[in-house]
Amino acid sequence: RDELLFKQPESSHHGDCPICCIPLSLDPRKATFFPCCSKVICNGCEYANLRREIEGSLQPKCLFCRLPRTALSQEIELNLMRRVEAKDPVATSKMGEIHYNEGDYDGALQCWEKAAELGNALAHFSLSMLYREGKGVKKDEKKMFFHLEEAAFDGFPAARYNLGVVEEEHGRMDRAVKHYIIGA
């Protein structure tokens, strides 16, 4: 497991833009999430599409699935729920985030566990934070560490940093430094 853990990931946990196939930035402000299809699209493609729609006096649509855009929070949540029911890991993780922000830690835990089973790195990272803080669950360092490692395998930089901190706290500086370097 250490051999995999200390290997430089091939890409970030965000993956590539499904339109232009360029790797998505680690900065979440440089991409747009579409709840209708749970796709994250780079702001360059989003800008080009918005410009095309404005110049052509076209109805605003999702760049990926072409569904009409909506600003109604009820409709956005309904679309997100449809994606969760379809076992979409991104939508399920996003729903966990909504539950967490509302203080529903049990709901967040359930969503993040499902999303983590589906391979979502953000869900693994979020679960690690729940187990570290003990919100809605009993504090558990082993589970925290497991979920941090799973997120790190998928190229999640914050998980790498947190693994470095944990290793440093346990006096394993050689391992901590490796995590810090890979996560940088």
mmCIF file of all heavy atoms in Angstrom, residues 6-33:
data_model
loop_
_atom_site.group_PDB
_atom_site.id
_atom_site.type_symbol
_atom_site.label_atom_id
_atom_site.label_comp_id
_atom_site.label_asym_id
_atom_site.label_seq_id
_atom_site.Cartn_x
_atom_site.Cartn_y
_atom_site.Cartn_z
ATOM 1 N N PHE A 6 2.835 6.523 -2.030
ATOM 2 C CA PHE A 6 3.884 7.514 -2.264
ATOM 3 C C PHE A 6 4.219 7.692 -3.738
ATOM 4 O O PHE A 6 5.244 8.251 -4.086
ATOM 5 C CB PHE A 6 5.129 7.172 -1.441
ATOM 6 C CG PHE A 6 4.890 7.345 0.030
ATOM 7 C CD1 PHE A 6 4.906 6.259 0.885
ATOM 8 C CD2 PHE A 6 4.604 8.591 0.560
ATOM 9 C CE1 PHE A 6 4.662 6.412 2.241
ATOM 10 C CE2 PHE A 6 4.355 8.755 1.913
ATOM 11 C CZ PHE A 6 4.390 7.668 2.750
ATOM 12 N N LYS A 7 3.343 7.231 -4.594
ATOM 13 C CA LYS A 7 3.506 7.431 -6.029
ATOM 14 C C LYS A 7 2.793 8.726 -6.411
ATOM 15 O O LYS A 7 1.695 9.007 -5.932
ATOM 16 C CB LYS A 7 2.874 6.241 -6.769
ATOM 17 C CG LYS A 7 3.001 6.293 -8.255
ATOM 18 C CD LYS A 7 2.333 5.063 -8.866
ATOM 19 C CE LYS A 7 2.317 5.208 -10.371
ATOM 20 N NZ LYS A 7 1.517 4.179 -11.005
ATOM 21 N N GLN A 8 3.436 9.527 -7.273
ATOM 22 C CA GLN A 8 2.836 10.775 -7.730
ATOM 23 C C GLN A 8 1.583 10.456 -8.540
ATOM 24 O O GLN A 8 1.637 9.657 -9.475
ATOM 25 C CB GLN A 8 3.839 11.545 -8.595
ATOM 26 C CG GLN A 8 3.369 12.900 -9.045
ATOM 27 C CD GLN A 8 3.351 13.929 -7.940
ATOM 28 O OE1 GLN A 8 4.093 13.843 -6.985
ATOM 29 N NE2 GLN A 8 2.493 14.909 -8.068
ATOM 30 N N PRO A 9 0.420 11.032 -8.192
ATOM 31 C CA PRO A 9 -0.798 10.745 -8.962
ATOM 32 C C PRO A 9 -0.683 11.285 -10.391
ATOM 33 O O PRO A 9 0.004 12.271 -10.640
ATOM 34 C CB PRO A 9 -1.895 11.461 -8.179
ATOM 35 C CG PRO A 9 -1.205 12.445 -7.322
ATOM 36 C CD PRO A 9 0.186 11.964 -7.106
ATOM 37 N N GLU A 10 -1.347 10.612 -11.320
ATOM 38 C CA GLU A 10 -1.289 11.013 -12.720
ATOM 39 C C GLU A 10 -2.099 12.276 -12.999
ATOM 40 O O GLU A 10 -1.791 13.015 -13.928
ATOM 41 C CB GLU A 10 -1.762 9.866 -13.606
ATOM 42 C CG GLU A 10 -0.812 8.687 -13.584
ATOM 43 C CD GLU A 10 -1.277 7.552 -14.466
ATOM 44 O OE1 GLU A 10 -2.114 7.772 -15.361
ATOM 45 O OE2 GLU A 10 -0.786 6.439 -14.250
ATOM 46 N N SER A 11 -3.147 12.508 -12.240
ATOM 47 C CA SER A 11 -3.960 13.708 -12.421
ATOM 48 C C SER A 11 -4.595 14.067 -11.087
ATOM 49 O O SER A 11 -4.486 13.337 -10.122
ATOM 50 C CB SER A 11 -5.040 13.470 -13.483
ATOM 51 O OG SER A 11 -5.950 12.501 -13.049
ATOM 52 N N SER A 12 -5.262 15.205 -11.068
ATOM 53 C CA SER A 12 -5.932 15.612 -9.833
ATOM 54 C C SER A 12 -7.263 14.875 -9.706
ATOM 55 O O SER A 12 -7.750 14.274 -10.664
ATOM 56 C CB SER A 12 -6.171 17.127 -9.813
ATOM 57 O OG SER A 12 -7.409 17.455 -10.392
ATOM 58 N N HIS A 13 -7.844 14.973 -8.542
ATOM 59 C CA HIS A 13 -9.129 14.325 -8.297
ATOM 60 C C HIS A 13 -10.259 14.955 -9.098
ATOM 61 O O HIS A 13 -11.321 14.381 -9.236
ATOM 62 C CB HIS A 13 -9.451 14.373 -6.801
ATOM 63 C CG HIS A 13 -9.631 15.753 -6.285
ATOM 64 N ND1 HIS A 13 -8.582 16.628 -6.091
ATOM 65 C CD2 HIS A 13 -10.736 16.438 -5.939
ATOM 66 C CE1 HIS A 13 -9.033 17.774 -5.642
ATOM 67 N NE2 HIS A 13 -10.340 17.689 -5.537
ATOM 68 N N HIS A 14 -10.035 16.143 -9.644
ATOM 69 C CA HIS A 14 -11.066 16.817 -10.433
ATOM 70 C C HIS A 14 -11.206 16.218 -11.830
ATOM 71 O O HIS A 14 -12.251 16.344 -12.452
ATOM 72 C CB HIS A 14 -10.766 18.310 -10.571
ATOM 73 C CG HIS A 14 -10.899 19.076 -9.298
ATOM 74 N ND1 HIS A 14 -12.080 19.182 -8.610
ATOM 75 C CD2 HIS A 14 -9.990 19.774 -8.583
ATOM 76 C CE1 HIS A 14 -11.898 19.917 -7.525
ATOM 77 N NE2 HIS A 14 -10.633 20.275 -7.487
ATOM 78 N N GLY A 15 -10.136 15.606 -12.328
ATOM 79 C CA GLY A 15 -10.188 15.034 -13.668
ATOM 80 C C GLY A 15 -10.071 16.094 -14.741
ATOM 81 O O GLY A 15 -9.498 17.163 -14.527
ATOM 82 N N ASP A 16 -10.637 15.810 -15.913
ATOM 83 C CA ASP A 16 -10.552 16.706 -17.059
ATOM 84 C C ASP A 16 -11.908 17.319 -17.357
ATOM 85 O O ASP A 16 -12.950 16.740 -17.043
ATOM 86 C CB ASP A 16 -10.091 15.935 -18.305
ATOM 87 C CG ASP A 16 -8.720 15.310 -18.135
ATOM 88 O OD1 ASP A 16 -7.939 15.804 -17.295
ATOM 89 O OD2 ASP A 16 -8.432 14.323 -18.838
ATOM 90 N N CYS A 17 -11.881 18.468 -18.024
ATOM 91 C CA CYS A 17 -13.121 19.085 -18.502
ATOM 92 C C CYS A 17 -13.705 18.145 -19.559
ATOM 93 O O CYS A 17 -12.994 17.731 -20.473
ATOM 94 C CB CYS A 17 -12.828 20.455 -19.107
ATOM 95 S SG CYS A 17 -14.261 21.200 -19.931
ATOM 96 N N PRO A 18 -14.991 17.785 -19.448
ATOM 97 C CA PRO A 18 -15.566 16.854 -20.413
ATOM 98 C C PRO A 18 -15.778 17.464 -21.803
ATOM 99 O O PRO A 18 -16.089 16.749 -22.745
ATOM 100 C CB PRO A 18 -16.909 16.467 -19.777
ATOM 101 C CG PRO A 18 -17.244 17.594 -18.889
ATOM 102 C CD PRO A 18 -15.943 18.155 -18.402
ATOM 103 N N ILE A 19 -15.563 18.770 -21.933
ATOM 104 C CA ILE A 19 -15.742 19.425 -23.228
ATOM 105 C C ILE A 19 -14.406 19.538 -23.965
ATOM 106 O O ILE A 19 -14.251 19.055 -25.077
ATOM 107 C CB ILE A 19 -16.382 20.826 -23.053
ATOM 108 C CG1 ILE A 19 -17.701 20.726 -22.283
ATOM 109 C CG2 ILE A 19 -16.574 21.510 -24.414
ATOM 110 C CD1 ILE A 19 -18.769 19.861 -22.897
ATOM 111 N N CYS A 20 -13.400 20.147 -23.333
ATOM 112 C CA CYS A 20 -12.117 20.385 -24.008
ATOM 113 C C CYS A 20 -11.039 19.366 -23.632
ATOM 114 O O CYS A 20 -9.967 19.361 -24.225
ATOM 115 C CB CYS A 20 -11.613 21.797 -23.707
ATOM 116 S SG CYS A 20 -11.179 22.072 -21.972
ATOM 117 N N CYS A 21 -11.311 18.532 -22.632
ATOM 118 C CA CYS A 21 -10.396 17.473 -22.172
ATOM 119 C C CYS A 21 -9.101 18.003 -21.562
ATOM 120 O O CYS A 21 -8.117 17.270 -21.452
ATOM 121 C CB CYS A 21 -10.089 16.487 -23.297
ATOM 122 S SG CYS A 21 -11.564 15.669 -23.906
ATOM 123 N N ILE A 22 -9.074 19.269 -21.156
ATOM 124 C CA ILE A 22 -7.925 19.835 -20.451
ATOM 125 C C ILE A 22 -8.140 19.577 -18.960
ATOM 126 O O ILE A 22 -9.265 19.698 -18.466
ATOM 127 C CB ILE A 22 -7.790 21.350 -20.739
ATOM 128 C CG1 ILE A 22 -7.443 21.551 -22.218
ATOM 129 C CG2 ILE A 22 -6.766 22.010 -19.834
ATOM 130 C CD1 ILE A 22 -7.394 22.999 -22.652
ATOM 131 N N PRO A 23 -7.074 19.217 -18.224
ATOM 132 C CA PRO A 23 -7.248 18.965 -16.782
ATOM 133 C C PRO A 23 -7.863 20.171 -16.065
ATOM 134 O O PRO A 23 -7.475 21.319 -16.316
ATOM 135 C CB PRO A 23 -5.823 18.705 -16.291
ATOM 136 C CG PRO A 23 -5.090 18.243 -17.502
ATOM 137 C CD PRO A 23 -5.704 18.987 -18.660
ATOM 138 N N LEU A 24 -8.819 19.890 -15.200
ATOM 139 C CA LEU A 24 -9.458 20.949 -14.420
ATOM 140 C C LEU A 24 -8.491 21.475 -13.371
ATOM 141 O O LEU A 24 -7.679 20.728 -12.825
ATOM 142 C CB LEU A 24 -10.728 20.428 -13.741
ATOM 143 C CG LEU A 24 -11.883 20.105 -14.687
ATOM 144 C CD1 LEU A 24 -12.947 19.304 -13.970
ATOM 145 C CD2 LEU A 24 -12.470 21.383 -15.263
ATOM 146 N N SER A 25 -8.589 22.749 -13.094
ATOM 147 C CA SER A 25 -7.731 23.400 -12.114
ATOM 148 C C SER A 25 -8.034 22.892 -10.709
ATOM 149 O O SER A 25 -9.166 22.499 -10.402
ATOM 150 C CB SER A 25 -7.959 24.911 -12.163
ATOM 151 O OG SER A 25 -7.281 25.567 -11.119
ATOM 152 N N LEU A 26 -7.033 22.944 -9.854
ATOM 153 C CA LEU A 26 -7.260 22.616 -8.448
ATOM 154 C C LEU A 26 -8.074 23.703 -7.757
ATOM 155 O O LEU A 26 -8.683 23.468 -6.720
ATOM 156 C CB LEU A 26 -5.921 22.434 -7.723
ATOM 157 C CG LEU A 26 -5.116 21.215 -8.142
ATOM 158 C CD1 LEU A 26 -3.773 21.207 -7.429
ATOM 159 C CD2 LEU A 26 -5.865 19.934 -7.863
ATOM 160 N N ASP A 27 -8.093 24.895 -8.329
ATOM 161 C CA ASP A 27 -8.864 26.017 -7.789
ATOM 162 C C ASP A 27 -10.320 25.845 -8.216
ATOM 163 O O ASP A 27 -10.642 25.983 -9.407
ATOM 164 C CB ASP A 27 -8.300 27.334 -8.320
ATOM 165 C CG ASP A 27 -8.998 28.556 -7.758
ATOM 166 O OD1 ASP A 27 -10.039 28.411 -7.062
ATOM 167 O OD2 ASP A 27 -8.514 29.669 -8.010
ATOM 168 N N PRO A 28 -11.225 25.546 -7.274
ATOM 169 C CA PRO A 28 -12.625 25.294 -7.655
ATOM 170 C C PRO A 28 -13.323 26.512 -8.253
ATOM 171 O O PRO A 28 -14.353 26.364 -8.907
ATOM 172 C CB PRO A 28 -13.284 24.867 -6.334
ATOM 173 C CG PRO A 28 -12.399 25.380 -5.268
ATOM 174 C CD PRO A 28 -11.011 25.440 -5.839
ATOM 175 N N ARG A 29 -12.762 27.702 -8.084
ATOM 176 C CA ARG A 29 -13.374 28.904 -8.672
ATOM 177 C C ARG A 29 -13.170 28.957 -10.184
ATOM 178 O O ARG A 29 -13.785 29.769 -10.853
ATOM 179 C CB ARG A 29 -12.788 30.164 -8.035
ATOM 180 C CG ARG A 29 -13.106 30.276 -6.541
ATOM 181 C CD ARG A 29 -12.362 31.397 -5.907
ATOM 182 N NE ARG A 29 -10.925 31.084 -6.024
ATOM 183 C CZ ARG A 29 -9.962 31.892 -5.634
ATOM 184 N NH1 ARG A 29 -10.220 33.049 -5.122
ATOM 185 N NH2 ARG A 29 -8.696 31.531 -5.770
ATOM 186 N N LYS A 30 -12.317 28.086 -10.710
ATOM 187 C CA LYS A 30 -12.021 28.095 -12.141
ATOM 188 C C LYS A 30 -12.805 27.033 -12.903
ATOM 189 O O LYS A 30 -12.439 26.642 -14.002
ATOM 190 C CB LYS A 30 -10.514 27.915 -12.359
ATOM 191 C CG LYS A 30 -9.728 29.095 -11.806
ATOM 192 C CD LYS A 30 -8.274 28.992 -12.110
ATOM 193 C CE LYS A 30 -7.559 30.224 -11.561
ATOM 194 N NZ LYS A 30 -6.139 30.184 -11.856
ATOM 195 N N ALA A 31 -13.872 26.559 -12.301
ATOM 196 C CA ALA A 31 -14.734 25.571 -12.947
ATOM 197 C C ALA A 31 -16.165 25.778 -12.455
ATOM 198 O O ALA A 31 -16.384 26.386 -11.412
ATOM 199 C CB ALA A 31 -14.252 24.158 -12.633
ATOM 200 N N THR A 32 -17.110 25.276 -13.220
ATOM 201 C CA THR A 32 -18.532 25.429 -12.900
ATOM 202 C C THR A 32 -19.169 24.055 -12.772
ATOM 203 O O THR A 32 -18.987 23.201 -13.634
ATOM 204 C CB THR A 32 -19.246 26.235 -14.007
ATOM 205 O OG1 THR A 32 -18.576 27.491 -14.165
ATOM 206 C CG2 THR A 32 -20.699 26.483 -13.659
ATOM 207 N N PHE A 33 -19.921 23.864 -11.689
ATOM 208 C CA PHE A 33 -20.650 22.615 -11.461
ATOM 209 C C PHE A 33 -22.055 22.761 -12.022
ATOM 210 O O PHE A 33 -22.740 23.738 -11.767
ATOM 211 C CB PHE A 33 -20.710 22.302 -9.961
ATOM 212 C CG PHE A 33 -21.569 21.119 -9.621
ATOM 213 C CD1 PHE A 33 -21.119 19.831 -9.869
ATOM 214 C CD2 PHE A 33 -22.831 21.289 -9.067
ATOM 215 C CE1 PHE A 33 -21.912 18.725 -9.567
ATOM 216 C CE2 PHE A 33 -23.630 20.194 -8.763
ATOM 217 C CZ PHE A 33 -23.161 18.911 -9.010
#
